Amino acid sequence: MKIIDFHAHIYPDKIAEKASQATGDFYNITPAYSGTSQELLSSGKAAGVSGFVLLPVATKPDQVHHINEFTAEEVRAHKEFYGFGTLHPECDDLIEETERIISLGLKGIKLHPDTQQFNTDDDRLFEVFDYIQGRIPLLVHCGDKRFDYSHPRRLKNVINNFPHLQIIAAHLGGWSLFEQAFEILRDTDCFLDISSTMMFLPPEKVVRYIHGYGADRILFGTDFPLWDPQKEAASFLKLDLSNNEREQIAWKNAMEILNG
């Protein structure tokens, strides 16, 4: 079966191990890989994954331009890669950088409110949300019981204020807040990925959420390099889903977004 990983992270080789470990430390997790592009390609191939959506995060505003350039270069170098761009609410040129992200051929924008330390519904980003409505999607890290930055209710505020913005809520809409996220987001039309969920929930609960949201809204993702793509793909393929549901989640929904 064709599989697209809609949630992966890579870093330049010289800083990959340090960057991956920093992310692992943030979540008290030992990463499975150091996070180089070659590791992603090789581990993904072993897992049967043929496409990867790169989701960079700039923790400081002066990193944004360089990280977007790096992502675009990796996409140009590897036919298997699709890239999203990063922004930071403290950037002076949010709209110009957004337009540059589009001109670089990147497919959307990724935000991580917890590590970037701003609220998902921070009004400094409203101009960007309005600017990209109907153009490119927004993927947002959602949920962390330690913080309030990315609480799913904040994403619901964005959904309500920008009805034409295509939104993807990472981690089933609320990492470590899965049930709260389900209550808040199930009646919206956002997409959700299942990265960093299957190791924290029993399979039957993952299936319950998939059916509750609708398989036509769910995307497969590994959260590489934190987790091993082979294990993630194996866990996904074991879920009690129909063949049609499995194909929707594995690649059909992803291609709908990427070709949008």
Side-chain angles (χ1 to χ4, degrees), residues 124-249:
R124 290 176 294 176
L125 289 163
F126 279 15
E127 187 178 15
V128 171
F129 297 160
D130 184 54
Y131 188 74
I132 65 174
Q133 285 194 100
R135 301 184 72 186
I136 58 173
L138 172 72
L139 189 148
V140 184
H141 168 93
C142 288
D144 191 322
K145 62 186 177 182
R146 301 172 298 174
F147 310 110
D148 189 59
Y149 297 118
S150 66
H151 194 281
R153 76 174 186 282
R154 294 192 178 279
L155 186 67
K156 182 72 174 290
N157 289 338
V158 175
I159 293 169
N160 288 340
N161 278 283
F162 300 94
H164 303 297
L165 176 58
Q166 188 175 59
I167 293 175
I168 303 151
H171 319 309
L172 273 179
W175 179 76
S176 73
L177 299 170
F178 299 109
E179 191 63 26
Q180 290 182 53
F182 183 64
E183 293 301 318
I184 292 168
L185 298 174
R186 64 179 170 179
D187 293 327
T188 69
D189 63 356
C190 70
F191 286 87
L192 308 99
D193 77 40
I194 58 171
S195 66
S196 287
T197 61
M198 291 182 288
M199 66 291 298
F200 297 107
L201 294 169
E204 59 271 17
K205 185 159 280 192
V206 176
V207 172
R208 171 180 168 255
Y209 288 138
I210 289 173
H211 287 159
Y213 285 118
D216 59 340
R217 294 171 58 190
I218 307 298
L219 302 158
F220 175 75
T222 66
D223 217 350
F224 176 94
L226 289 181
W227 311 110
D228 185 341
Q230 286 185 266
K231 292 180 180 178
E232 293 303 288
S235 294
F236 165 65
L237 293 172
K238 289 177 183 176
L239 294 176
D240 187 16
L241 300 169
S242 70
N243 288 337
N244 182 57
E245 288 171 331
R246 198 170 285 113
E247 286 196 341
Q248 283 183 299
I249 296 166

